[in-house]
Amino acid sequence: MNKQDITFKSQQNTLAGNLYLPADFDETRHYPAIIYSGPKSQIKELTGAFYGTKLAAKGFVYLAFDHQGFGESEGMIRNYEDPFAKMDNIRDAISFIRTLPYIDHNRLYGLGVCASGGLMGVLGTTEKRLAAIATVSGFMSNVDIFFKKLSRVQAVAILKDANEARQLAYETGEIEIVDSMGLEAIESEKLDKDNVLRGAHEFYMTDRSAASHHPRYSHRQPAMQTDVYALCNAIPYAPYFYTPYLGIIGADADTGYLTQEFYNACSEPKELLKIDGANHLTLYDDDAAVDQAIEKIVEFFAKHPSDQVEPQH
């Protein structure tokens, strides 16, 4: 495996990415390829790098990139979690990778982890350049994790705060920044070991990953993003997905019901893998759990080359 730093244009911004290549890479051959998009707030050096190394070793060309406003990519509002802008970035990543002469257009796939599971679920409904899509620990509905978890009074209050933060930015240019996942206040040891917030605190706020090793990462984001972030919901589109779908979840994940709900409604062909002993965050960076996910992804993608484009010669 080797890694190349690349850039491509998206929405008038230059985005930075890492292209992972198989160890025996030969530009004269055609390779299957994967476009990766990761969890909320993440940059390409986190879970994307963990999966990239493993999937390149399986013979894929694999692209992980920083969405606009994140990491090394351009973008005026930093760390702004706009699912619809991110979907445009993913579409442009697909366009970019198809310009590379060694990519087999019939074997181009999408992989979304956590929040990007939901993005791939929405985008995949109309994006038919991807032959198949897999999600890992997918947050397939922000409606479920926002509106269905809150009372009407709570939801309206939070949305009004986001609206006012947007008004402030419009009038003054000042971007109010908050701890968007509430990680700073979490006493993780008081939560169940499989609670997604405990896992997020241990992943992002400790030496395990982001806090110590990746200075371009931040768990703090614009307050105004909530009023757009809450709108992304892949589940209503599932019956019309029409692209082969693989959902992977930890058997102990408290978020697993979101992928299950999408899978239940999803069009065929589809498969679901539950990994014993894994929870939501285990599938970010635990070798044993991720290796099981990788094996299933490779198997599933191999079964589903595209029939949408002419074979390459």
Side-chain angles (χ1 to χ4, degrees):
M1 189 278 296
N2 59 79
K3 183 177 71 173
Q4 293 181 356
D5 296 334
I6 57 90
T7 61
F8 63 95
K9 296 296 290 187
S10 180
Q11 310 302 303
Q12 289 75 54
N13 292 307
T14 298
L15 305 190
N18 294 140
L19 201 63
Y20 293 79
L21 304 171
D24 60 350
F25 178 71
D26 178 351
E27 285 193 357
T28 66
R29 295 173 54 191
H30 289 132
Y31 291 87
I34 294 172
I35 301 290
Y36 168 88
S37 185
K40 177 183 178 182
S41 82
Q42 278 205 17
I43 56 175
K44 61 186 180 299
E45 290 83 5
L46 296 173
T47 302
F50 200 72
Y51 276 76
T53 302
K54 292 176 180 290
L55 283 164
K58 297 293 186 180
F60 288 89
V61 172
Y62 170 102
L63 175 60
F65 65 94
D66 289 326
H67 285 275
Q68 64 186 55
F70 288 84
E72 296 181 294
S73 290
E74 293 179 346
M76 291 295 292
I77 305 177
R78 304 306 299 175
N79 302 314
Y80 179 39
E81 194 73 28
D82 180 342
F84 303 99
K86 281 192 162 186
M87 281 188 269
D88 280 338
N89 294 162
I90 295 169
R91 291 187 192 276
D92 290 332
I94 295 168
S95 296
F96 163 74
I97 205 167
R98 279 168 53 105
T99 68
L100 303 178
Y102 45 83
I103 299 301
D104 183 346
H105 294 186
N106 286 321
R107 295 186 293 162
L108 177 57
Y109 305 100
L111 172 60
V113 176
C114 189
S116 288
L119 302 189
M120 288 289 183
V122 175
L123 172 147
T125 310
T126 58
E127 180 53 78
K128 299 309 172 188
R129 293 175 294 178
L130 296 176
I133 287 173
T135 68
V136 175
S137 297
F139 265 40
M140 308 307 290
S141 171
N142 293 346
V143 170
D144 281 70
I145 63 174
F146 183 80
F147 290 104
K148 292 185 180 181
K149 297 292 187 185
L150 302 172
S151 69
R152 177 173 177 166
V153 170
Q154 291 170 322
V156 169
I158 292 170
L159 291 170
K160 283 184 174 180
D161 286 345
N163 299 156
E164 290 305 319
R166 191 173 297 280
Q167 187 72 30
L168 176 68
Y170 183 85
E171 293 182 8
T172 69
E174 179 184 344
I175 306 295
E176 181 184 357
I177 302 298
V178 298
D179 174 15
S180 65
M181 290 185 282
L183 297 181
E184 295 166 13
I186 288 174
E187 297 180 65
S188 63
E189 68 279 0
K190 295 183 179 180
L191 299 175
D192 182 86
K193 67 179 181 64
D194 293 318
N195 183 290
V196 66
L197 290 177
R198 175 171 179 163
H201 184 273
E202 292 173 354
F203 184 84
Y204 293 110
M205 305 296 285
T206 71
D207 192 58
R208 174 176 166 189
S209 185
S212 299
H213 308 301
H214 301 288
R216 286 188 294 270
Y217 168 78
S218 176
H219 67 283
R220 299 181 64 82
Q221 298 181 281
M224 65 182 180
Q225 73 184 19
T226 303
D227 60 10
V228 64
Y229 184 74
L231 294 173
C232 188
N233 184 5
I235 292 172
Y237 295 102
Y240 318 108
F241 196 66
Y242 303 157
T243 293
Y245 171 69
L246 169 64
I248 299 175
I249 54 177
D252 299 329
D254 58 356
T255 59
Y257 72 96
L258 294 166
T259 296
Q260 184 73 63
E261 190 174 347
F262 182 84
Y263 171 82
N264 290 346
C266 196
S267 59
E268 296 282 357
K270 60 184 179 180
E271 294 185 33
L272 181 67
L273 173 65
K274 297 182 180 180
I275 297 178
D276 290 338
N279 60 32
H280 185 99
L281 272 293
T282 310
L283 286 166
Y284 283 23
D285 66 344
D286 178 82
D287 275 307
V290 171
D291 284 346
Q292 292 180 65
I294 294 292
E295 291 299 324
K296 186 62 179 180
I297 289 167
V298 171
E299 173 199 307
F300 185 79
F301 286 170
K303 290 191 293 189
H304 295 289
S306 175
D307 59 2
Q308 302 297 316
V309 297
E310 292 298 319
Q312 293 184 328
H313 301 287

